[in-house]
């Protein structure tokens, strides 16, 4: 069976997604990561459409890719013009990309009503363009835009349109479900007919191979891609995280593991497959989009277990509630601690955090009841690993506070129309030492963060690497108006770790302080373990 070729279009179709913008430099960084994981084709952009994409191809020329072949995207020649004089085709050739991908029209409705040319002229545009790019010595991928819709309306013409590209020597014919409305069984039927048709077309340069390009408007982009592979497509177009116009493109972070692990159609190496989660995170970070927790395979929740029965089962036999081993895609099993928590969740979690329970006369049953009490008060430990670890340490007398708070004071000033300013003073002790510091901030929490950081900085220089990345406030009991309790969640990170902490109080500053103090405690305890050579948990 043919190897499946992964053709990534995150940098072109992916950037059609709402709120997605990459600079040329960011595109290059992503291209390197795609190459590193073993993607076969990296579509960098449309050089004829904007200067940023042109610049990307300039930058990329200086880069040695391991195996990823760079593709430039463009359209067929303009109607009534000559290929040699077409600006768009000139930009494609000038990109120096070894692979050129051009799209043309398969749907007669688009030909006659949108670009308003004759059906014959459209066929000539396709064959002229493909032949011209082949003559330039490049590998040519032909994207048959709206192929499936076109086929449903006028099958003969849709087939003729790909026939024009096949006859002119295209290396790959990629059938596109541009509007994302095709169903898997329709797609399989149409692909089979396209293959039969193509076998009858005369050409000089070997057999044509088929590819698939789907969009997710019916939630079927991945399913359609998998069906296409099952029906003989050998090139798969998609984007990392499924980013793309409207509902997105086919998500390569699902397709790649399905091909490798479930269909026995390996497309990247087992070693590289383990980089999938980190690739997904890298692209969402670069796009500045919050990663989707429930994204299959690579999401934070993809292998998270909450119910007590599930947890005791996976502790015995993971396959009981997991469709695959999360480590294969670089993800991990997580056990959530919540008010559904049973004894086994807590035991599992403690092990994961590197803590031994019970050694100090506490049993996990007692710990479960403490957690349940706190959760009734509004704490939610399944989203606050950092605070949960500190809590477990406290409940088992293993907590060694790196600092103690003596007092803090926060003032907020509002002067006329000026924005508020906040000042905080923090008094702490570390061992026998005391420290008082004051700092300003954009708001009370940032002022507290700055003051605490300054105070601790004298004792712990490593804190420089740590920063707060997210701050969320939720009113827990909305019926009591301003007397209601609030829950504050803080997410922090350093170079290697990401951790969350929580605070609950009627007072938003108090709740913020709890979460903030836990975040620093977590970081400092972690540093201490690393220094003393203990296993770094978390
Ligand atoms: Zn597309």
């Amino acid at each position: 069976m043919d190897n499946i070729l992964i053709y990534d279009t995150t940098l072109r179709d992916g950037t059609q997604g709402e709120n997605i913008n990459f600079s040329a430099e960011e595109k290059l960084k992503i291209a390197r990561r795609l190459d590193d994981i073993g993607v076969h084709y990296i579509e960098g952009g449309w050089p004829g459409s904007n200067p940023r994409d042109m610049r990307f191809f300039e930058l990329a020329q200086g880069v040695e890719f391991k195996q990823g072949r760079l593709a430039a995207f463009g359209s067929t020649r303009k109607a009534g013009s000559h290929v040699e004089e077409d600006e768009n085709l000139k930009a494609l050739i000038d990109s120096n990309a070894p692979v050129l991908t051009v799209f043309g029209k398969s749907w007669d409705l688009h030909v006659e009503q949108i670009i308003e040319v004759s059906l014959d002229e459209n066929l000539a545009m396709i064959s002229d363009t493909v032949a011209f790019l082949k003559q330039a010595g490049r590998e040519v991928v032909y994207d048959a835009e709206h192929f499936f819709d076109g086929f449903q309306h006028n099958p003969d013409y849709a087939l003729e349109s790909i026939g024009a590209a096949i006859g002119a020597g295209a290396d790959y014919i990629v059938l596109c479900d541009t509007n994302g409305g095709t169903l898997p069984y329709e797609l399989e039927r149409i692909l089979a007919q396209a293959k039969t048709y193509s076998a009858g077309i005369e050409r000089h340069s070997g057999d044509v191979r088929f590819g698939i390009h789907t969009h997710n408007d019916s939630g079927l982009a991945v399913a359609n891609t998998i069906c296409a592979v099952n029906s003989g497509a050998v090139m798969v177009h998609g984007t990392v995280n499924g980013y793309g116009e409207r509902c997105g493109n086919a998500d390569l972070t699902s397709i790649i593991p399905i091909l490798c692990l479930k269909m026995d159609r390996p497309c990247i190496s087992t070693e590289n497959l383990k980089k999938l989660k980190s690739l997904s995170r890298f692209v969402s970070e670069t796009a500045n989009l919050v990663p989707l927790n429930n994204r299959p395979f690579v999401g934070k929740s993809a292998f998270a277990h909450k119910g007590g029965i599930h947890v005791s089962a996976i502790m015995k036999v993971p396959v009981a509630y997991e469709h695959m081993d999360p480590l294969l895609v670089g993800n991990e099993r997580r056990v959530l601690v919540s008010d559904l928590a049973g004894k086994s969740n807590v035991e599992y979690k403690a092990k994961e955090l590197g803590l031994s329970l019970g050694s100090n006369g506490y049993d996990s049953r007692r710990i479960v009841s403490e957690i349940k009490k706190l959760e009734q008060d509004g704490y939610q430990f399944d989203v606050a690993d950092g605070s949960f670890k500190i809590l477990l340490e406290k409940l088992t007398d293993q907590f060694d506070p790196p600092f103690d708070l003596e007092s803090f004071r926060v003032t907020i000033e509002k002067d006329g129309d000026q924005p508020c300013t906040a000042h905080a003073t923090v008094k702490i002790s570390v061992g026998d030492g005391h420290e008082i510091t004051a700092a300003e901030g954009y708001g009370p929490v940032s002022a507290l963060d700055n003051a605490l950081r300054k105070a601790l900085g004298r004792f712990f220089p490593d804190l420089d690497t740590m920063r707060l990345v997210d701050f969320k406030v939720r009113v827990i009991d909305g019926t009591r108006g301003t007397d209601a309790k609030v829950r504050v969640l803080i997410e922090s990170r350093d170079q290697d770790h990401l951790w969350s902490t929580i605070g609950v109080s009627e007072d938003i500053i108090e709740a913020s302080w709890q979460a903030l103090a836990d975040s620093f405690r977590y970081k400092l305890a972690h540093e201490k373990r690393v220094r003393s050579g203990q296993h770094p948990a978390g």
Side-chain angles (χ1 to χ4, degrees):
M1 255 191 289
D2 284 307
N3 273 346
I4 301 298
L5 300 164
I6 302 296
Y7 183 109
D8 179 278
T9 179
T10 308
L11 305 179
R12 201 273 303 169
D13 230 4
T15 62
Q16 299 296 313
E18 207 173 348
N19 300 327
I20 298 189
N21 276 299
F22 297 126
S23 67
E25 285 75 12
E26 285 170 333
K27 281 185 159 202
L28 200 62
K29 276 195 211 157
I30 294 174
R32 283 177 192 274
R33 295 288 290 248
L34 291 167
D35 179 49
D36 181 60
I37 203 170
V39 159
H40 306 90
Y41 292 87
I42 302 165
E43 191 174 79
W46 185 340
S49 77
N50 67 71
R52 184 195 51 205
D53 284 5
M54 206 104 88
R55 173 157 166 73
F56 167 80
F57 284 102
E58 272 167 38
L59 289 172
Q61 278 182 50
V63 177
E64 187 105 12
F65 290 106
K66 284 190 253 180
Q67 70 152 356
R69 284 168 71 71
L70 215 55
F73 179 85
S75 64
T76 52
R77 72 158 168 82
K78 288 212 167 67
S81 76
H82 220 267
V83 278
E84 278 92 4
E85 286 141 24
D86 192 282
E87 285 300 318
N88 167 60
L89 295 182
K90 186 177 176 316
L92 273 179
I93 304 256
D94 290 348
S95 75
N96 280 327
V99 182
L100 302 179
T101 299
V102 282
F103 75 94
K105 301 287 182 188
S106 312
W107 187 356
D108 56 0
L109 172 144
H110 267 262
V111 178
E112 293 178 317
Q113 298 181 36
I114 308 294
I115 60 171
E116 297 179 17
V117 304
S118 73
L119 294 176
D120 283 342
E121 169 64 359
N122 178 54
L123 297 179
M125 285 155 64
I126 295 169
S127 61
D128 288 357
T129 304
V130 170
F132 176 67
L133 298 178
K134 278 312 289 176
Q135 266 163 31
R138 310 295 173 86
E139 186 175 349
V140 174
V141 175
Y142 176 73
D143 276 7
E145 199 191 33
H146 293 114
F147 181 77
F148 296 96
D149 295 316
F151 189 96
Q152 309 262 27
H153 287 84
N154 185 344
D156 291 342
Y157 188 73
L159 290 172
E160 266 183 83
S161 78
I162 58 169
I166 296 170
D171 297 282
Y172 292 92
I173 300 294
V174 178
L175 306 182
C176 303
D177 186 24
T178 310
N179 293 359
T182 305
L183 302 179
Y185 53 85
E186 293 171 344
L187 178 136
E188 286 190 295
R189 175 177 58 85
I190 295 169
L191 176 56
Q193 295 192 41
K195 279 182 73 179
T196 310
Y197 169 84
S198 74
I201 293 175
E202 208 173 304
R203 56 188 248 141
H204 306 292
S205 47
D207 287 346
V208 70
R209 311 215 289 164
F210 280 92
I212 185 72
H213 178 117
T214 62
H215 281 262
N216 202 35
D217 301 73
S218 307
L220 291 168
V222 170
N224 277 339
T225 303
I226 295 306
C227 285
V229 169
N230 207 32
S231 304
V234 294
M235 175 186 271
V236 161
H237 286 205
T239 62
V240 176
N241 297 332
Y243 291 152
E245 205 156 13
R246 306 183 309 274
C247 312
N249 284 60
D251 188 348
L252 290 177
T253 67
S254 286
I255 291 167
I256 291 173
I258 292 173
L259 291 173
C260 292
L261 302 172
K262 294 173 186 275
M263 295 176 77
D264 199 21
R265 302 295 295 270
C267 47
I268 65 173
S269 71
T270 312
E271 224 22 68
N272 281 342
L273 190 58
K274 292 184 188 143
K275 301 175 185 167
L276 198 64
K277 185 190 172 190
S278 94
L279 174 71
S280 163
R281 284 298 288 258
F282 180 80
V283 173
S284 53
E285 288 270 328
T286 310
N288 204 14
L289 293 175
V290 179
L292 211 60
N293 283 347
N294 63 356
R295 196 183 298 290
F297 299 95
V298 294
K300 195 177 166 194
S301 308
F303 301 94
H305 303 277
K306 194 162 174 176
I309 299 167
H310 286 209
V311 173
S312 59
I314 56 151
M315 281 172 81
K316 286 187 210 153
V317 189
V319 77
Y321 284 101
E322 280 174 359
H323 71 109
M324 57 167 279
D325 179 356
L327 296 176
L328 296 174
V329 290
N331 208 341
E332 59 193 352
R333 176 176 308 135
R334 288 168 62 239
V335 165
L336 308 178
V337 183
S338 75
D339 47 16
L340 293 179
K343 246 179 78 191
S344 36
N345 292 48
V346 172
E347 281 164 8
Y348 187 94
K349 194 76 198 175
K351 209 167 100 192
E352 193 182 292
L353 295 168
L355 282 175
S356 83
L357 294 180
S359 54
N360 296 294
Y362 289 89
D363 59 28
S364 37
R365 218 175 286 275
R366 196 205 112 122
I367 293 171
V368 169
S369 86
E370 289 286 337
I371 292 166
K372 288 196 169 164
K373 227 188 300 168
L374 284 165
E375 294 204 321
Q376 295 241 307
D377 286 343
Y379 285 85
Q380 202 188 345
F381 291 106
D382 54 352
V383 288
D385 268 20
S387 290
F388 184 66
K389 178 153 198 266
I390 292 167
L391 173 71
L392 280 187
E393 286 175 342
K394 283 182 181 165
L395 289 173
T396 54
D397 288 339
Q398 299 180 70
F399 183 60
D400 178 15
F403 64 90
D404 286 307
L405 173 74
E406 293 183 16
S407 63
F408 72 69
R409 176 193 294 262
V410 180
T411 53
I412 300 170
E413 236 178 275
K414 177 83 177 161
D415 192 1
D417 289 342
Q418 297 300 308
C420 283
T421 51
H423 303 263
T425 312
V426 170
K427 198 170 164 189
I428 58 161
S429 58
V430 176
D432 297 332
H434 298 270
E435 184 74 23
I436 304 178
T437 51
E440 291 181 329
Y442 295 112
V445 180
S446 111
L448 264 178
D449 177 31
N450 291 338
L452 181 60
R453 190 177 287 273
K454 225 160 113 185
L456 290 169
R458 204 189 107 198
F459 305 96
F460 308 103
D462 294 335
L463 278 179
D464 288 354
T465 58
M466 165 189 167
R467 63 189 174 93
L468 306 190
V469 286
D470 200 13
F471 176 83
K472 284 196 195 89
V473 182
R474 163 82 53 93
V475 176
I476 303 172
D477 177 6
T479 57
R480 290 164 55 201
T482 50
D483 285 340
K485 267 191 191 168
V486 293
R487 176 196 293 145
V488 169
L489 278 174
I490 287 180
E491 195 174 44
S492 315
R493 71 184 306 169
D494 59 18
Q495 298 118 312
D496 308 314
H497 297 95
L498 196 65
W499 64 96
S500 306
T501 51
I502 189 169
V504 173
S505 170
E506 271 103 31
D507 183 301
I508 187 172
I509 304 290
E510 167 66 21
S512 306
W513 165 261
Q514 288 172 11
L516 196 60
D518 267 8
S519 172
F520 281 91
R521 284 184 194 122
Y522 180 89
K523 163 74 179 167
L524 293 171
H526 183 79
E527 292 296 324
K528 198 171 142 195
R529 266 194 310 280
V530 170
R531 268 198 306 276
S532 67
Q534 282 179 9
H535 172 69

